[in-house]
Amino acid sequence: LVNRASRAEAITEIAGSIARAPFIAGEPIREQKLVKANGSGFMAAILPTGMRAISTEISPETGAGGFILPNDRVDVILSKREKNPEAKGTDVAQSEIILSNIRVLAIDQAPKEKDGINTLVGRTVTLELKPEHAETLVRSRQIGTLSLALRSITDINAAGGGSEDQV
């Protein structure tokens, strides 16, 4: 006997798609209940319950030089300039990690030519965040510059390196 959850998983593997909702035993498989990997709705189908997908702009300088890929983990750093109250006319630069150990869902990579060599440079990254962290990210974009720090794969697999570390 196979339960409904494993049936849906088996259907997903066979059809090369993800089920939008569980199937009832004997229910016909219809296109409307499936999401194809390259179709609309795919991101919503793979997003874990309670999580949000939110995108933000990056550049080679703010996105670890283009080395960030989907399923990597990153820390999000906010950098801002504030007036120095002690020395008039000067600013103080401050940076802080606002989100830690965040999963990258997607990154766009547009071809770019530099010195006659074609490279792929991402301009937008989509992150998997809890709703309150999505608010923090959006608010922080208005305050200063966001940068992504790529985390080592050994940090990700280390004890305590899971998504529960999100600030």
Side-chain angles (χ1 to χ4, degrees):
L1 290 175
V2 179
N3 67 30
R4 272 191 293 198
S6 59
R7 275 191 194 138
E9 290 170 11
I11 290 169
T12 298
E13 290 178 24
I14 293 169
S17 300
I18 295 175
R20 288 186 192 268
F23 284 91
I24 299 170
E27 177 183 0
I29 299 172
R30 298 184 320 262
E31 286 286 328
Q32 297 86 349
K33 281 198 91 172
L34 299 176
V35 177
K36 300 222 180 285
N38 61 354
S40 64
F42 180 74
M43 185 62 69
I46 65 165
L47 199 60
T49 302
M51 300 302 277
R52 306 295 185 263
I54 187 161
S55 297
T56 194
E57 290 181 9
I58 58 168
S59 67
E61 295 80 18
T62 62
F67 288 102
I68 297 172
L69 297 172
N71 290 316
D72 281 344
R73 294 276 178 166
V74 297
D75 292 339
V76 181
I77 302 169
L78 169 64
S79 298
K80 58 187 175 179
R81 291 195 166 282
E82 295 179 342
K83 299 286 183 204
N84 185 348
E86 298 173 12
K88 294 186 184 223
T90 62
D91 291 343
V92 176
Q94 295 181 344
S95 293
E96 65 177 311
I97 295 175
I98 58 166
L99 300 167
S100 182
N101 200 19
I102 302 300
R103 181 175 159 220
V104 174
L105 294 173
I107 190 162
D108 78 320
Q109 294 185 324
K112 182 179 181 183
E113 188 173 318
K114 183 176 181 180
D115 299 328
I117 300 172
N118 286 332
T119 60
L120 293 176
V121 178
R123 296 184 317 192
T124 305
V125 64
T126 304
L127 304 174
E128 178 185 83
L129 298 172
K130 295 177 182 175
E132 60 272 20
H133 297 149
E135 291 175 14
T136 298
L137 183 74
V138 171
R139 200 171 30 254
S140 297
R141 280 197 301 230
Q142 304 304 311
I143 296 171
T145 303
L146 297 178
S147 298
L148 303 180
L150 180 61
R151 293 176 67 103
S152 166
I153 197 162
T154 57
D155 289 346
I156 296 164
N157 293 328
S163 61
E164 66 275 2
D165 285 353
Q166 291 184 356
V167 173

